[in-house]
Amino acid sequence: MASTFTIGFGGSVGAEAPIVLTGASLGSNLGRLMKMNYRNITLLVGCGAAGAVAGIFKAPIAGIVFTLEILMLDLTISSIVPLLISSVTAATVSFFLMGKDVLFAFALRESFSLGNIPWYIVLGIGTALLSVYFTRTTLYLEGLYDRVKSPWVRLFTGGIVLGIFILLLPPLYGEGYSTISALLNGDTSALYENSFFSEMSNNVWFIPAFLLALSLLKVVASSSTNGAGGVGGIFAPSLFVGGVGGFFIARLINIVGDKALPESSFTLVGMAGAMAGIMHAPLTAIFLIAEITGGYGLLVPLIISSTISYITVMRFEKHSLYHKN
């Protein structure tokens, strides 16, 4: 409920982390109610988290891998079977209650080209730099908010900062999945239709500049939301930053290098690259994007960019943002 109010009133965070926390809490409480030992309770916590991710995105494999990478459960038959059952059950129940509707989905329309591999390497490095920026800026800004003792001062300060950024850049409102969907469909006009900069849309450099501002300032909006007392996670902001960053890199290369890179594919792969770098979860990023696109047509570029992003980030940040918080 708290995350619903936070996002509904414009908080620039995601609902995935609160949902995962709820699932993990249900597993923990169930284990305590049944008087299970520590090992089984830990496994139930993992099952709850895996089921939450699988139910949100209807991506059971991503749910399992998320639990193994983030919660670092032991990969044994005794653990993988319950995780499989939990993830598949959650995805099935989600299909039953919601039909084919999903939080975020996209059908691939462009095939992978071997000639674009060098540019996916560039994308991996770019999302890695974004990930380092995202991690360090988040920790710094939330640390500043923690120094403010009065919760009311934090609330009004964060609200004012968030309001100003949303006024200037409307796509920063809420989770940002509508912005990602617009980019995937090539509808860049939807990004600035309610902004002060709509008159500049005819300038060929306006879109790249606007996208760069979105990807850099999303972390400020997200940190201000959580720092002010909002309830939300970094799952959606990570996907937002990566998706917008991926589209920005593809559009910039297309303009400067006179290329014809598939911008929707770079948007999706950028989402995986940022998730791999920020969460230190490359496998989760790969399988999540593969599942929400309904196939593995982008598996090779997903592996390339996610792996490069993760390896590059590890040179700067040994631990993920989850573990540092």
Side-chain angles (χ1 to χ4, degrees):
M1 291 180 63
S3 64
T4 299
F5 280 112
T6 299
I7 298 170
F9 281 100
S12 195
V13 288
E16 296 82 6
I19 296 173
V20 169
L21 177 61
T22 301
S25 299
L26 289 173
S28 177
N29 289 331
L30 180 61
R32 295 176 188 277
L33 181 65
M34 302 298 292
K35 300 186 184 302
M36 294 182 174
N37 57 31
Y38 173 80
R39 179 182 177 83
N40 288 329
I41 291 177
T42 303
L43 182 56
L44 282 175
V45 169
C47 288
V53 174
I56 295 169
F57 295 101
K58 296 190 177 75
I61 298 178
I64 296 170
V65 177
F66 172 83
T67 301
L68 295 175
E69 280 192 305
I70 301 300
L71 300 184
M72 293 183 291
L73 293 180
D74 294 332
L75 183 59
T76 61
I77 294 298
S78 60
S79 63
I80 199 68
V81 172
L83 290 173
L84 281 168
I85 295 173
S86 176
S87 295
V88 172
T89 301
T92 303
V93 172
S94 182
F95 271 113
F96 179 76
L97 295 177
M98 299 176 59
K100 294 184 178 181
D101 292 336
V102 69
L103 182 62
F104 176 77
F106 179 75
L108 288 176
R109 296 190 295 265
E110 299 165 318
S111 59
F112 164 63
S113 174
L114 288 174
N116 292 333
I117 286 181
W119 301 117
Y120 285 114
I121 295 175
V122 173
L123 178 60
I125 297 173
T127 52
L129 297 177
L130 270 177
S131 300
V132 174
Y133 164 78
F134 188 99
T135 300
R136 294 184 176 180
T137 304
T138 297
L139 294 174
Y140 175 75
L141 292 178
E142 291 188 358
L144 291 180
Y145 279 102
D146 287 339
R147 296 178 188 176
V148 180
K149 301 303 181 182
S150 172
W152 294 106
V153 174
R154 286 201 303 269
L155 175 64
F156 285 109
T157 302
I160 291 172
V161 171
L162 181 62
I164 291 174
F165 277 107
I166 291 176
L167 181 65
L168 296 175
L169 302 170
L172 295 179
Y173 183 97
E175 295 171 304
Y177 286 124
S178 59
T179 298
I180 298 298
S181 296
L183 292 178
L184 290 173
N185 292 312
D187 184 16
T188 56
S189 62
L191 304 183
Y192 50 81
E193 60 183 6
N194 294 318
S195 72
F196 295 119
F197 309 106
S198 57
E199 296 180 357
M200 302 172 58
S201 58
N202 293 327
N203 189 323
V204 68
W205 292 104
F206 169 73
I207 291 296
F210 194 82
L211 292 172
L212 181 61
L214 284 179
S215 59
L216 294 179
L217 295 178
K218 178 67 174 181
V219 62
V220 180
S222 175
S223 299
S224 296
T225 302
N226 285 326
V231 178
I234 62 169
F235 206 107
S238 299
L239 294 176
F240 181 94
V241 168
V244 174
F247 192 98
F248 162 76
I249 290 174
R251 177 60 63 92
L252 188 64
I253 294 173
N254 287 339
I255 293 175
V256 176
D258 194 24
K259 301 290 184 179
L261 298 180
E263 294 174 342
S264 61
S265 296
F266 271 68
T267 300
L268 291 167
V269 177
M271 293 166 67
M275 178 181 288
I278 295 171
M279 300 184 183
H280 288 200
L283 292 177
T284 301
I286 292 168
F287 285 106
L288 177 64
I289 301 302
E291 286 189 285
I292 64 178
T293 55
Y296 291 86
L298 284 177
L299 186 60
V300 173
L302 285 172
I303 292 174
I304 292 173
S305 295
S306 297
T307 303
I308 290 176
S309 176
Y310 173 71
I311 293 174
T312 305
V313 167
M314 287 295 290
R315 302 284 296 180
F316 302 94
E317 299 290 342
K318 298 298 182 184
H319 302 285
S320 70
L321 188 54
Y322 277 139
H323 294 120
K324 286 192 173 186
N325 278 336

